[in-house]
Amino acid sequence: MAILRYSASADNTITNAFRSNLEASSRATGSNMGYADSVEVFSIYGQVSSSAGQTQELARTLIKFPTTAMTADRAASPQRLPDSGSVSWYLKMYNAEHPFTLPENFTLRVAPITTDWSEGTGLDMDEYKDRTVSNWMKATSTKSWTAQGGDYSSTANFDVTFPEGYEDLEVDITNIVEWWLNGGQTNYGIG
């Protein structure tokens, strides 16, 4: 059987970063980057001091996959997608080169999202002016995350280490995708 590639059906970057003025009361928690041409992940510590000490700024990536198409390909005749146990699923994401300093020797956790979310229509990854659904505080226009920054499963997580900082991400997420396809968990994507 050939290799099948499924692209994300929705993606977004959400953040609690400070706006460009770096005022402690000016976090971009309502911003949305669902229509941006790339996604970002970052952790910035100590850019701003507050009465509670140094602050941390975070960005997370949310990605949803077209499991309806996957299920249809598995049910097709002839079958386009092998049965569970006869296929492996890999998440592949590629580093977007940029002129900024890269961190080294860090680990990202890939985890299933447990709450449905909306992609949103934001584009601005610099000033964080686009304030639409699915942001650091809200999963949809009517539903907040249980925890700020998103709701994630505590099982089926994968830690991926980046020794140099510019590596591409490739991780076998077979158990997560088969969990979705077999009805063990609703597909809300991964973060």
Side-chain angles (χ1 to χ4, degrees):
M1 222 173 247
I3 294 174
L4 293 176
R5 179 178 298 201
Y6 295 93
S7 296
S9 54
D11 61 44
N12 193 359
T13 298
I14 59 174
T15 185
N16 72 347
F18 291 105
R19 296 184 187 281
S20 59
N21 63 12
L22 295 179
E23 291 180 16
S25 63
S26 184
R27 286 203 184 251
T29 57
S31 65
N32 170 285
M33 293 150 274
Y35 277 4
D37 59 356
S38 62
V39 291
E40 282 188 344
V41 176
F42 62 76
S43 174
I44 303 169
Y45 180 77
Q47 184 167 248
V48 174
S49 296
S50 71
S51 60
Q54 298 294 316
T55 59
Q56 186 173 23
E57 301 168 73
L58 302 170
R60 294 188 176 144
T61 295
L62 313 178
I63 305 168
K64 203 179 289 185
F65 297 96
T67 51
T68 302
M70 296 170 183
T71 301
D73 286 346
R74 187 166 272 171
S77 182
Q79 191 176 37
R80 293 190 61 214
L81 179 64
D83 292 331
S84 179
S86 301
V87 64
S88 295
W89 298 94
Y90 288 89
L91 171 65
K92 291 187 176 188
M93 297 180 72
Y94 302 94
N95 177 49
E97 290 186 32
H98 56 76
F100 305 109
T101 304
L102 287 174
E104 295 177 357
N105 196 24
F106 65 94
T107 301
L108 292 179
R109 173 158 289 166
V110 176
I113 299 170
T114 60
T115 300
D116 199 13
W117 52 277
S118 299
E119 182 174 36
T121 58
L123 290 170
D124 182 9
M125 297 181 102
D126 295 316
E127 296 296 321
Y128 307 116
K129 293 178 183 174
D130 297 329
R131 301 176 63 81
T132 64
V133 297
S134 184
N135 55 51
W136 194 258
M137 309 299 282
K138 298 186 93 166
T140 68
S141 60
T142 59
K143 184 172 185 166
S144 295
W145 298 110
T146 304
Q148 292 180 12
D151 301 333
Y152 305 93
S153 174
S154 59
T155 60
N157 297 328
F158 300 95
D159 289 343
V160 182
T161 301
F162 296 82
E164 303 297 325
Y166 56 77
E167 297 88 355
D168 297 330
L169 181 144
E170 181 174 333
V171 62
D172 183 341
I173 60 169
T174 300
N175 61 342
I176 296 172
V177 176
E178 291 297 343
W179 196 24
W180 295 333
L181 296 179
N182 294 324
Q185 173 72 34
T186 303
N187 169 29
Y188 298 130
I190 58 173

PDB file of all heavy atoms in Angstrom, residues 18-37:
ATOM      1  N   PHE A  18       3.415  38.798  26.074  1.00  0.00           N
ATOM      2  CA  PHE A  18       3.195  40.231  26.245  1.00  0.00           C
ATOM      3  C   PHE A  18       3.157  40.913  24.893  1.00  0.00           C
ATOM      4  O   PHE A  18       3.856  40.505  23.966  1.00  0.00           O
ATOM      5  CB  PHE A  18       4.319  40.852  27.097  1.00  0.00           C
ATOM      6  CG  PHE A  18       4.285  40.421  28.517  1.00  0.00           C
ATOM      7  CD1 PHE A  18       5.196  39.502  28.992  1.00  0.00           C
ATOM      8  CD2 PHE A  18       3.321  40.913  29.386  1.00  0.00           C
ATOM      9  CE1 PHE A  18       5.157  39.078  30.303  1.00  0.00           C
ATOM     10  CE2 PHE A  18       3.273  40.501  30.704  1.00  0.00           C
ATOM     11  CZ  PHE A  18       4.193  39.578  31.162  1.00  0.00           C
ATOM     12  N   ARG A  19       2.351  41.946  24.806  1.00  0.00           N
ATOM     13  CA  ARG A  19       2.347  42.753  23.589  1.00  0.00           C
ATOM     14  C   ARG A  19       3.671  43.508  23.499  1.00  0.00           C
ATOM     15  O   ARG A  19       4.475  43.493  24.426  1.00  0.00           O
ATOM     16  CB  ARG A  19       1.161  43.708  23.606  1.00  0.00           C
ATOM     17  CG  ARG A  19      -0.166  42.966  23.576  1.00  0.00           C
ATOM     18  CD  ARG A  19      -1.325  43.962  23.495  1.00  0.00           C
ATOM     19  NE  ARG A  19      -2.581  43.287  23.634  1.00  0.00           N
ATOM     20  CZ  ARG A  19      -3.194  42.598  22.670  1.00  0.00           C
ATOM     21  NH1 ARG A  19      -2.650  42.497  21.492  1.00  0.00           N
ATOM     22  NH2 ARG A  19      -4.351  42.019  22.890  1.00  0.00           N
ATOM     23  N   SER A  20       3.902  44.193  22.416  1.00  0.00           N
ATOM     24  CA  SER A  20       5.200  44.816  22.159  1.00  0.00           C
ATOM     25  C   SER A  20       5.594  45.868  23.199  1.00  0.00           C
ATOM     26  O   SER A  20       6.776  46.143  23.379  1.00  0.00           O
ATOM     27  CB  SER A  20       5.223  45.432  20.762  1.00  0.00           C
ATOM     28  OG  SER A  20       4.207  46.399  20.641  1.00  0.00           O
ATOM     29  N   ASN A  21       4.608  46.438  23.926  1.00  0.00           N
ATOM     30  CA  ASN A  21       4.953  47.439  24.948  1.00  0.00           C
ATOM     31  C   ASN A  21       5.495  46.814  26.230  1.00  0.00           C
ATOM     32  O   ASN A  21       5.966  47.521  27.117  1.00  0.00           O
ATOM     33  CB  ASN A  21       3.753  48.336  25.255  1.00  0.00           C
ATOM     34  CG  ASN A  21       2.583  47.572  25.841  1.00  0.00           C
ATOM     35  OD1 ASN A  21       2.695  46.413  26.244  1.00  0.00           O
ATOM     36  ND2 ASN A  21       1.426  48.213  25.879  1.00  0.00           N
ATOM     37  N   LEU A  22       5.420  45.476  26.347  1.00  0.00           N
ATOM     38  CA  LEU A  22       5.944  44.713  27.483  1.00  0.00           C
ATOM     39  C   LEU A  22       5.372  45.138  28.830  1.00  0.00           C
ATOM     40  O   LEU A  22       5.993  44.909  29.865  1.00  0.00           O
ATOM     41  CB  LEU A  22       7.476  44.765  27.529  1.00  0.00           C
ATOM     42  CG  LEU A  22       8.191  44.111  26.362  1.00  0.00           C
ATOM     43  CD1 LEU A  22       9.711  44.260  26.527  1.00  0.00           C
ATOM     44  CD2 LEU A  22       7.826  42.649  26.224  1.00  0.00           C
ATOM     45  N   GLU A  23       4.201  45.728  28.851  1.00  0.00           N
ATOM     46  CA  GLU A  23       3.551  46.049  30.123  1.00  0.00           C
ATOM     47  C   GLU A  23       2.969  44.773  30.707  1.00  0.00           C
ATOM     48  O   GLU A  23       2.339  43.980  30.010  1.00  0.00           O
ATOM     49  CB  GLU A  23       2.446  47.079  29.905  1.00  0.00           C
ATOM     50  CG  GLU A  23       2.966  48.442  29.529  1.00  0.00           C
ATOM     51  CD  GLU A  23       1.844  49.445  29.324  1.00  0.00           C
ATOM     52  OE1 GLU A  23       0.698  49.168  29.762  1.00  0.00           O
ATOM     53  OE2 GLU A  23       2.107  50.489  28.725  1.00  0.00           O
ATOM     54  N   ALA A  24       3.173  44.575  31.993  1.00  0.00           N
ATOM     55  CA  ALA A  24       2.732  43.344  32.652  1.00  0.00           C
ATOM     56  C   ALA A  24       1.221  43.122  32.535  1.00  0.00           C
ATOM     57  O   ALA A  24       0.756  42.001  32.603  1.00  0.00           O
ATOM     58  CB  ALA A  24       3.157  43.349  34.113  1.00  0.00           C
ATOM     59  N   SER A  25       0.460  44.180  32.350  1.00  0.00           N
ATOM     60  CA  SER A  25      -0.993  44.036  32.233  1.00  0.00           C
ATOM     61  C   SER A  25      -1.430  43.883  30.781  1.00  0.00           C
ATOM     62  O   SER A  25      -2.614  43.891  30.487  1.00  0.00           O
ATOM     63  CB  SER A  25      -1.682  45.262  32.840  1.00  0.00           C
ATOM     64  OG  SER A  25      -1.313  46.423  32.109  1.00  0.00           O
ATOM     65  N   SER A  26      -0.497  43.723  29.867  1.00  0.00           N
ATOM     66  CA  SER A  26      -0.807  43.723  28.443  1.00  0.00           C
ATOM     67  C   SER A  26      -0.502  42.391  27.775  1.00  0.00           C
ATOM     68  O   SER A  26       0.157  42.324  26.760  1.00  0.00           O
ATOM     69  CB  SER A  26      -0.022  44.854  27.762  1.00  0.00           C
ATOM     70  OG  SER A  26      -0.364  44.945  26.409  1.00  0.00           O
ATOM     71  N   ARG A  27      -0.982  41.312  28.349  1.00  0.00           N
ATOM     72  CA  ARG A  27      -0.787  39.989  27.742  1.00  0.00           C
ATOM     73  C   ARG A  27      -1.759  39.804  26.582  1.00  0.00           C
ATOM     74  O   ARG A  27      -2.875  40.314  26.590  1.00  0.00           O
ATOM     75  CB  ARG A  27      -1.000  38.897  28.774  1.00  0.00           C
ATOM     76  CG  ARG A  27       0.169  38.806  29.756  1.00  0.00           C
ATOM     77  CD  ARG A  27       0.217  37.428  30.371  1.00  0.00           C
ATOM     78  NE  ARG A  27       1.250  37.316  31.369  1.00  0.00           N
ATOM     79  CZ  ARG A  27       2.359  36.599  31.189  1.00  0.00           C
ATOM     80  NH1 ARG A  27       2.565  35.987  30.052  1.00  0.00           N
ATOM     81  NH2 ARG A  27       3.243  36.514  32.142  1.00  0.00           N
ATOM     82  N   ALA A  28      -1.347  39.017  25.604  1.00  0.00           N
ATOM     83  CA  ALA A  28      -2.131  38.795  24.389  1.00  0.00           C
ATOM     84  C   ALA A  28      -2.988  37.531  24.504  1.00  0.00           C
ATOM     85  O   ALA A  28      -3.134  36.785  23.545  1.00  0.00           O
ATOM     86  CB  ALA A  28      -1.198  38.699  23.192  1.00  0.00           C
ATOM     87  N   THR A  29      -3.586  37.291  25.669  1.00  0.00           N
ATOM     88  CA  THR A  29      -4.334  36.052  25.897  1.00  0.00           C
ATOM     89  C   THR A  29      -5.578  35.924  25.045  1.00  0.00           C
ATOM     90  O   THR A  29      -6.108  34.827  24.894  1.00  0.00           O
ATOM     91  CB  THR A  29      -4.729  35.923  27.381  1.00  0.00           C
ATOM     92  OG1 THR A  29      -5.490  37.077  27.746  1.00  0.00           O
ATOM     93  CG2 THR A  29      -3.503  35.796  28.268  1.00  0.00           C
ATOM     94  N   GLY A  30      -6.056  37.016  24.467  1.00  0.00           N
ATOM     95  CA  GLY A  30      -7.237  36.954  23.601  1.00  0.00           C
ATOM     96  C   GLY A  30      -6.896  36.853  22.133  1.00  0.00           C
ATOM     97  O   GLY A  30      -7.772  36.810  21.291  1.00  0.00           O
ATOM     98  N   SER A  31      -5.609  36.781  21.800  1.00  0.00           N
ATOM     99  CA  SER A  31      -5.198  36.766  20.395  1.00  0.00           C
ATOM    100  C   SER A  31      -5.361  35.378  19.781  1.00  0.00           C
ATOM    101  O   SER A  31      -5.385  34.367  20.475  1.00  0.00           O
ATOM    102  CB  SER A  31      -3.756  37.238  20.263  1.00  0.00           C
ATOM    103  OG  SER A  31      -2.893  36.338  20.900  1.00  0.00           O
ATOM    104  N   ASN A  32      -5.471  35.365  18.457  1.00  0.00           N
ATOM    105  CA  ASN A  32      -5.703  34.147  17.701  1.00  0.00           C
ATOM    106  C   ASN A  32      -4.894  34.222  16.416  1.00  0.00           C
ATOM    107  O   ASN A  32      -4.834  35.264  15.779  1.00  0.00           O
ATOM    108  CB  ASN A  32      -7.199  34.038  17.398  1.00  0.00           C
ATOM    109  CG  ASN A  32      -7.518  32.930  16.417  1.00  0.00           C
ATOM    110  OD1 ASN A  32      -7.279  33.068  15.221  1.00  0.00           O
ATOM    111  ND2 ASN A  32      -8.067  31.863  16.923  1.00  0.00           N
ATOM    112  N   MET A  33      -4.278  33.116  16.031  1.00  0.00           N
ATOM    113  CA  MET A  33      -3.478  33.075  14.807  1.00  0.00           C
ATOM    114  C   MET A  33      -3.871  31.887  13.942  1.00  0.00           C
ATOM    115  O   MET A  33      -3.035  31.229  13.338  1.00  0.00           O
ATOM    116  CB  MET A  33      -1.996  33.051  15.173  1.00  0.00           C
ATOM    117  CG  MET A  33      -1.569  34.371  15.812  1.00  0.00           C
ATOM    118  SD  MET A  33      -0.246  34.265  17.007  1.00  0.00           S
ATOM    119  CE  MET A  33      -1.094  33.900  18.526  1.00  0.00           C
ATOM    120  N   GLY A  34      -5.184  31.614  13.857  1.00  0.00           N
ATOM    121  CA  GLY A  34      -5.688  30.458  13.125  1.00  0.00           C
ATOM    122  C   GLY A  34      -5.476  30.499  11.625  1.00  0.00           C
ATOM    123  O   GLY A  34      -5.422  29.459  10.987  1.00  0.00           O
ATOM    124  N   TYR A  35      -5.364  31.673  11.020  1.00  0.00           N
ATOM    125  CA  TYR A  35      -5.154  31.752   9.569  1.00  0.00           C
ATOM    126  C   TYR A  35      -3.718  32.094   9.200  1.00  0.00           C
ATOM    127  O   TYR A  35      -3.415  32.333   8.036  1.00  0.00           O
ATOM    128  CB  TYR A  35      -6.090  32.780   8.955  1.00  0.00           C
ATOM    129  CG  TYR A  35      -7.485  32.274   8.670  1.00  0.00           C
ATOM    130  CD1 TYR A  35      -7.891  31.001   9.023  1.00  0.00           C
ATOM    131  CD2 TYR A  35      -8.410  33.090   8.048  1.00  0.00           C
ATOM    132  CE1 TYR A  35      -9.173  30.556   8.775  1.00  0.00           C
ATOM    133  CE2 TYR A  35      -9.692  32.650   7.786  1.00  0.00           C
ATOM    134  CZ  TYR A  35     -10.066  31.382   8.150  1.00  0.00           C
ATOM    135  OH  TYR A  35     -11.335  30.944   7.887  1.00  0.00           O
ATOM    136  N   ALA A  36      -2.820  32.141  10.162  1.00  0.00           N
ATOM    137  CA  ALA A  36      -1.417  32.422   9.861  1.00  0.00           C
ATOM    138  C   ALA A  36      -0.844  31.284   9.016  1.00  0.00           C
ATOM    139  O   ALA A  36      -1.310  30.146   9.082  1.00  0.00           O
ATOM    140  CB  ALA A  36      -0.621  32.592  11.146  1.00  0.00           C
ATOM    141  N   ASP A  37       0.176  31.579   8.219  1.00  0.00           N
ATOM    142  CA  ASP A  37       0.747  30.570   7.327  1.00  0.00           C
ATOM    143  C   ASP A  37       1.718  29.624   8.018  1.00  0.00           C
ATOM    144  O   ASP A  37       2.215  28.684   7.411  1.00  0.00           O
ATOM    145  CB  ASP A  37       1.414  31.229   6.120  1.00  0.00           C
ATOM    146  CG  ASP A  37       2.517  32.191   6.502  1.00  0.00           C
ATOM    147  OD1 ASP A  37       2.735  32.419   7.700  1.00  0.00           O
ATOM    148  OD2 ASP A  37       3.164  32.730   5.590  1.00  0.00           O
TER     149      ASP A  37
END
